[in-house]
Amino acid sequence: MAERIRNFDWSRTPIGPIVEWPEALTVLVNNLLGTRLPMILMWGAELTHLYNDAVIPILDAARHPAALGERGEVVWREAWPISGPQIEAALHGEACWNEDQHVPIYRDGQLQDTWFTYSYSPARDAEGAIQGVLISFLDTSSRVGAARALQLERQRLLAAFQQAPAFFALLKGPEHVFELVNPMYLRLIGGRDVAGKPIGKALPEIVEQGYVDLLDRVFSTGEPFVGQGLRFTLEETDGLPREERYVDFVYQPLREADGSVSGILVFGVDLTHRIHSDTALKEQRDRFEFATDAAQIGYWFCDLPFDQLSWDVRVKEHFWLPPDAKVDIRLFYELLHPEDRERTREAIETSIARHTAYDIEYRSMAPDGRCKWIHAFGRTAYDADGGPLRFDGVTQDITQLKQTQGARQRAEEALIRAEKLALVGRLAATISHEINNPLESVTNLLYLLEQEATGDAAKMYCQTAQAELARVSHIVTHTLRFNRQGNVAGEESLSELLDSALAIYEARLRHSGITLRRDYRDAPRVCCFGAELRQVFANLIGNAFDATRGPGSLVLRTRRQNHGRTAEPGVRITIADTGHGIPPATKARLFEPFFTTKGDSGTGLGLWVSREILNKHHASIRLHSCTQPGRSGTVFSIWIPQASAGDPSAPAA
């Protein structure tokens, strides 16, 4: 710039050629050129513009070197509204100083925001008169811009912290004084006023809970602390209830330029609602799993069209499959009972096509033929256009329910039959009683008629009629005896009870081709409920008749016999037939309630009731049977203690 100033034609400017410059101007220009501080001199009435090398970067190529010798107002026309009044004041002797003054100027052809720290000083001649303005300045645009950007970023960061869903607090110094907190932190601590207070005084309860010790350690070591799922308790205060909180957080030390820790940033999230929700959800899940386990409910899912099926372990269990089995729609139908496959297929297709619930009961079959009853309930999910997407639902094993329902139904039917039989028995007893009286009268009259008869034929007819009436009277007497139930045990002859039970089958015996053999030995009388034992004998004799079709034999036998283990005196009764015998599988279930081999004609209660009666009498029953052709038959052997009903303490056999 010294060379440019020496070579410049100053004669074309108001200040004239250099040789005519006053000494003060020359001194000022030499001083200006000798410093590295950006300096400008505006001299004379037109404020002719002179400057040093340090000003060139600020002027840039658009104004340098054209600014040399130009009027100051022209050079800085965009900044003159700001600079002009201050230069005018300096021309009147008022120096000014401005720090980081915003002065827009043109750079690279664009008006840009710039900041300068500068002074405007009066420039005087040798007589002290003000002839211009000396300007020294520094371009602080970079520093101010950076500071402003930092401030803006800080404001944005603060706004973000204030609006963040996480809680935030800034603690300063070794006492951990609250300098800044955001709304989420205030909400976390119940809205307490903590600004400017040490944390130990603002939240005294957390001292005992160890959180201040953690802050002290972070402050002294400079090592951050991360806590996950930690609990702290806020004690009751200012009418607010006691609360427990769960948080994830970090204590991050804040360092100064020299590396020392000056504070701690607290940042974290409140997990309380999630923890409580998770706890409630777990409780609900546990209850749900308990309910589904108790109800034996399984879940199945499948995308449409059908291909792979997704079954849980329990559904696979319902279909006799291992937990790791792969399932498709083909296997599903194969595992169904053949009688249930087609109606199940129709139920699925109807549910999907008609947008109705799928609700069906079917049987699943194991390879060995065992079955389970399954109740399936499901529904279809559709897209916006009504197209089927998924077919999902549940299954429940209802086998036990089906068995219970079946048993209950059979029990109800048996009770109805029993009531009918009881009614018939009462009617039979009434009829027998009413018939017995006229029978006795007719029998007496026939006896008198026989005495008066004179011819042989007449006497024979009277005797024949008496014999038939005697047989009718015998049946009536046994019918009355069979239906006469006593509440008190008495001494009974078991052979007589057998004959009494047999009496109602005499007509059937006569026309069945079955040979009856009685083998009664001198057995002692036993103390028992005769009517009940008569029912047992009648049931076994009736079963023997049912099992023996065509020619065969029936044997009734009694023997005095002591118990083989206890030597207790008693009687052995045997009822044997040459019928078709009992298969082993049937034999194993023979005494179960409602188990019958007679179809609709049987109740399945006869042998079960018989065993209960024998248990009541401390008696035992054994069974031997053979189904081999030519050797088939069944033998029921009953041992009854002599004091069975008379001595309640008598041991059961």
Side-chain angles (χ1 to χ4, degrees), residues 120-143:
Y120 291 165
S121 303
R124 301 176 186 272
D125 59 15
E127 287 76 23
I130 297 174
Q131 299 295 332
V133 177
L134 183 64
I135 304 171
S136 59
F137 62 93
L138 289 174
D139 185 352
T140 60
S141 298
S142 297
R143 180 177 59 77

mmCIF file of all heavy atoms in Angstrom, residues 120-143:
data_model
loop_
_atom_site.group_PDB
_atom_site.id
_atom_site.type_symbol
_atom_site.label_atom_id
_atom_site.label_comp_id
_atom_site.label_asym_id
_atom_site.label_seq_id
_atom_site.Cartn_x
_atom_site.Cartn_y
_atom_site.Cartn_z
ATOM 1 N N TYR A 120 -13.331 5.469 16.276
ATOM 2 C CA TYR A 120 -13.281 6.626 15.383
ATOM 3 C C TYR A 120 -12.638 7.771 16.183
ATOM 4 O O TYR A 120 -13.205 8.181 17.202
ATOM 5 C CB TYR A 120 -14.680 7.035 14.930
ATOM 6 C CG TYR A 120 -15.360 6.051 13.989
ATOM 7 C CD1 TYR A 120 -16.724 6.138 13.746
ATOM 8 C CD2 TYR A 120 -14.631 5.078 13.313
ATOM 9 C CE1 TYR A 120 -17.349 5.272 12.873
ATOM 10 C CE2 TYR A 120 -15.255 4.204 12.445
ATOM 11 C CZ TYR A 120 -16.614 4.290 12.224
ATOM 12 O OH TYR A 120 -17.224 3.432 11.359
ATOM 13 N N SER A 121 -11.482 8.227 15.703
ATOM 14 C CA SER A 121 -10.753 9.300 16.420
ATOM 15 C C SER A 121 -10.590 10.526 15.497
ATOM 16 O O SER A 121 -10.341 10.370 14.281
ATOM 17 C CB SER A 121 -9.366 8.823 16.853
ATOM 18 O OG SER A 121 -9.476 7.671 17.649
ATOM 19 N N PRO A 122 -10.693 11.737 16.037
ATOM 20 C CA PRO A 122 -10.462 12.943 15.218
ATOM 21 C C PRO A 122 -9.000 12.976 14.749
ATOM 22 O O PRO A 122 -8.083 12.688 15.526
ATOM 23 C CB PRO A 122 -10.769 14.087 16.174
ATOM 24 C CG PRO A 122 -11.601 13.474 17.267
ATOM 25 C CD PRO A 122 -11.122 12.068 17.395
ATOM 26 N N ALA A 123 -8.749 13.298 13.479
ATOM 27 C CA ALA A 123 -7.396 13.471 12.928
ATOM 28 C C ALA A 123 -7.121 14.976 12.798
ATOM 29 O O ALA A 123 -7.814 15.684 12.063
ATOM 30 C CB ALA A 123 -7.300 12.768 11.576
ATOM 31 N N ARG A 124 -6.116 15.483 13.531
ATOM 32 C CA ARG A 124 -5.859 16.925 13.607
ATOM 33 C C ARG A 124 -4.585 17.294 12.817
ATOM 34 O O ARG A 124 -3.677 16.476 12.673
ATOM 35 C CB ARG A 124 -5.714 17.350 15.063
ATOM 36 C CG ARG A 124 -6.962 17.043 15.911
ATOM 37 C CD ARG A 124 -6.727 17.386 17.373
ATOM 38 N NE ARG A 124 -7.849 16.982 18.209
ATOM 39 C CZ ARG A 124 -8.917 17.740 18.452
ATOM 40 N NH1 ARG A 124 -8.987 18.956 17.910
ATOM 41 N NH2 ARG A 124 -9.892 17.315 19.236
ATOM 42 N N ASP A 125 -4.525 18.593 12.385
ATOM 43 C CA ASP A 125 -3.318 19.096 11.733
ATOM 44 C C ASP A 125 -2.375 19.679 12.792
ATOM 45 O O ASP A 125 -2.632 19.555 13.997
ATOM 46 C CB ASP A 125 -3.666 20.139 10.658
ATOM 47 C CG ASP A 125 -4.418 21.336 11.239
ATOM 48 O OD1 ASP A 125 -4.416 21.505 12.486
ATOM 49 O OD2 ASP A 125 -5.039 22.060 10.458
ATOM 50 N N ALA A 126 -1.294 20.367 12.323
ATOM 51 C CA ALA A 126 -0.295 20.879 13.266
ATOM 52 C C ALA A 126 -0.856 21.936 14.192
ATOM 53 O O ALA A 126 -0.393 22.111 15.324
ATOM 54 C CB ALA A 126 0.902 21.443 12.486
ATOM 55 N N GLU A 127 -1.895 22.671 13.741
ATOM 56 C CA GLU A 127 -2.492 23.710 14.583
ATOM 57 C C GLU A 127 -3.577 23.142 15.504
ATOM 58 O O GLU A 127 -4.212 23.866 16.272
ATOM 59 C CB GLU A 127 -3.101 24.817 13.716
ATOM 60 C CG GLU A 127 -2.070 25.717 13.056
ATOM 61 C CD GLU A 127 -1.414 25.021 11.876
ATOM 62 O OE1 GLU A 127 -2.059 24.071 11.321
ATOM 63 O OE2 GLU A 127 -0.275 25.364 11.534
ATOM 64 N N GLY A 128 -3.859 21.800 15.395
ATOM 65 C CA GLY A 128 -4.868 21.170 16.244
ATOM 66 C C GLY A 128 -6.255 21.168 15.646
ATOM 67 O O GLY A 128 -7.211 20.713 16.289
ATOM 68 N N ALA A 129 -6.388 21.674 14.436
ATOM 69 C CA ALA A 129 -7.711 21.661 13.806
ATOM 70 C C ALA A 129 -8.011 20.253 13.286
ATOM 71 O O ALA A 129 -7.137 19.557 12.768
ATOM 72 C CB ALA A 129 -7.753 22.670 12.681
ATOM 73 N N ILE A 130 -9.290 19.859 13.419
ATOM 74 C CA ILE A 130 -9.713 18.525 12.964
ATOM 75 C C ILE A 130 -9.848 18.547 11.449
ATOM 76 O O ILE A 130 -10.642 19.315 10.894
ATOM 77 C CB ILE A 130 -11.044 18.117 13.617
ATOM 78 C CG1 ILE A 130 -10.876 18.017 15.141
ATOM 79 C CG2 ILE A 130 -11.517 16.780 13.048
ATOM 80 C CD1 ILE A 130 -12.158 17.756 15.879
ATOM 81 N N GLN A 131 -9.052 17.658 10.784
ATOM 82 C CA GLN A 131 -9.053 17.604 9.334
ATOM 83 C C GLN A 131 -9.610 16.281 8.786
ATOM 84 O O GLN A 131 -9.838 16.155 7.587
ATOM 85 C CB GLN A 131 -7.619 17.785 8.819
ATOM 86 C CG GLN A 131 -7.006 19.103 9.201
ATOM 87 C CD GLN A 131 -7.721 20.267 8.548
ATOM 88 O OE1 GLN A 131 -8.312 20.148 7.465
ATOM 89 N NE2 GLN A 131 -7.695 21.430 9.207
ATOM 90 N N GLY A 132 -9.839 15.326 9.657
ATOM 91 C CA GLY A 132 -10.352 14.028 9.204
ATOM 92 C C GLY A 132 -10.626 13.090 10.377
ATOM 93 O O GLY A 132 -10.640 13.501 11.540
ATOM 94 N N VAL A 133 -10.755 11.800 10.001
ATOM 95 C CA VAL A 133 -11.076 10.767 11.013
ATOM 96 C C VAL A 133 -10.123 9.590 10.811
ATOM 97 O O VAL A 133 -9.956 9.088 9.683
ATOM 98 C CB VAL A 133 -12.534 10.274 10.895
ATOM 99 C CG1 VAL A 133 -12.810 9.155 11.906
ATOM 100 C CG2 VAL A 133 -13.503 11.412 11.075
ATOM 101 N N LEU A 134 -9.513 9.140 11.911
ATOM 102 C CA LEU A 134 -8.639 7.969 11.904
ATOM 103 C C LEU A 134 -9.426 6.781 12.486
ATOM 104 O O LEU A 134 -9.922 6.843 13.610
ATOM 105 C CB LEU A 134 -7.387 8.245 12.724
ATOM 106 C CG LEU A 134 -6.345 7.112 12.743
ATOM 107 C CD1 LEU A 134 -5.799 6.878 11.328
ATOM 108 C CD2 LEU A 134 -5.199 7.444 13.696
ATOM 109 N N ILE A 135 -9.484 5.751 11.673
ATOM 110 C CA ILE A 135 -10.298 4.575 12.067
ATOM 111 C C ILE A 135 -9.363 3.369 12.233
ATOM 112 O O ILE A 135 -8.619 3.020 11.305
ATOM 113 C CB ILE A 135 -11.360 4.255 11.006
ATOM 114 C CG1 ILE A 135 -12.254 5.474 10.747
ATOM 115 C CG2 ILE A 135 -12.175 3.034 11.409
ATOM 116 C CD1 ILE A 135 -13.174 5.310 9.565
ATOM 117 N N SER A 136 -9.398 2.771 13.414
ATOM 118 C CA SER A 136 -8.708 1.489 13.643
ATOM 119 C C SER A 136 -9.769 0.456 14.048
ATOM 120 O O SER A 136 -10.688 0.769 14.810
ATOM 121 C CB SER A 136 -7.641 1.639 14.727
ATOM 122 O OG SER A 136 -8.211 2.070 15.940
ATOM 123 N N PHE A 137 -9.598 -0.758 13.542
ATOM 124 C CA PHE A 137 -10.691 -1.733 13.792
ATOM 125 C C PHE A 137 -10.165 -3.163 13.692
ATOM 126 O O PHE A 137 -9.066 -3.414 13.168
ATOM 127 C CB PHE A 137 -11.838 -1.510 12.818
ATOM 128 C CG PHE A 137 -11.475 -1.705 11.380
ATOM 129 C CD1 PHE A 137 -11.656 -2.934 10.757
ATOM 130 C CD2 PHE A 137 -10.932 -0.659 10.630
ATOM 131 C CE1 PHE A 137 -11.324 -3.105 9.425
ATOM 132 C CE2 PHE A 137 -10.600 -0.829 9.312
ATOM 133 C CZ PHE A 137 -10.785 -2.062 8.699
ATOM 134 N N LEU A 138 -10.995 -4.121 14.202
ATOM 135 C CA LEU A 138 -10.768 -5.574 14.063
ATOM 136 C C LEU A 138 -12.054 -6.225 13.563
ATOM 137 O O LEU A 138 -13.160 -5.901 14.043
ATOM 138 C CB LEU A 138 -10.369 -6.201 15.399
ATOM 139 C CG LEU A 138 -8.985 -5.868 15.939
ATOM 140 C CD1 LEU A 138 -8.813 -6.454 17.337
ATOM 141 C CD2 LEU A 138 -7.902 -6.405 15.000
ATOM 142 N N ASP A 139 -11.904 -7.118 12.620
ATOM 143 C CA ASP A 139 -13.069 -7.885 12.129
ATOM 144 C C ASP A 139 -13.336 -9.035 13.114
ATOM 145 O O ASP A 139 -12.552 -9.984 13.212
ATOM 146 C CB ASP A 139 -12.781 -8.437 10.738
ATOM 147 C CG ASP A 139 -13.995 -9.128 10.124
ATOM 148 O OD1 ASP A 139 -15.010 -9.307 10.838
ATOM 149 O OD2 ASP A 139 -13.914 -9.493 8.940
ATOM 150 N N THR A 140 -14.392 -8.930 13.885
ATOM 151 C CA THR A 140 -14.735 -9.975 14.886
ATOM 152 C C THR A 140 -15.877 -10.873 14.414
ATOM 153 O O THR A 140 -16.527 -11.550 15.213
ATOM 154 C CB THR A 140 -15.118 -9.314 16.220
ATOM 155 O OG1 THR A 140 -16.249 -8.453 16.014
ATOM 156 C CG2 THR A 140 -13.959 -8.502 16.780
ATOM 157 N N SER A 141 -16.090 -10.842 13.103
ATOM 158 C CA SER A 141 -17.244 -11.609 12.582
ATOM 159 C C SER A 141 -17.150 -13.095 12.927
ATOM 160 O O SER A 141 -18.147 -13.723 13.323
ATOM 161 C CB SER A 141 -17.344 -11.448 11.061
ATOM 162 O OG SER A 141 -17.553 -10.100 10.726
ATOM 163 N N SER A 142 -15.970 -13.675 12.788
ATOM 164 C CA SER A 142 -15.829 -15.115 13.065
ATOM 165 C C SER A 142 -16.137 -15.426 14.515
ATOM 166 O O SER A 142 -16.872 -16.368 14.843
ATOM 167 C CB SER A 142 -14.419 -15.579 12.709
ATOM 168 O OG SER A 142 -14.183 -15.418 11.341
ATOM 169 N N ARG A 143 -15.547 -14.619 15.434
ATOM 170 C CA ARG A 143 -15.769 -14.883 16.851
ATOM 171 C C ARG A 143 -17.207 -14.650 17.243
ATOM 172 O O ARG A 143 -17.825 -15.467 17.937
ATOM 173 C CB ARG A 143 -14.842 -14.006 17.680
ATOM 174 C CG ARG A 143 -14.987 -14.214 19.190
ATOM 175 C CD ARG A 143 -13.995 -13.378 19.946
ATOM 176 N NE ARG A 143 -14.145 -11.958 19.676
ATOM 177 C CZ ARG A 143 -15.118 -11.200 20.224
ATOM 178 N NH1 ARG A 143 -15.994 -11.747 21.061
ATOM 179 N NH2 ARG A 143 -15.184 -9.905 19.954
#
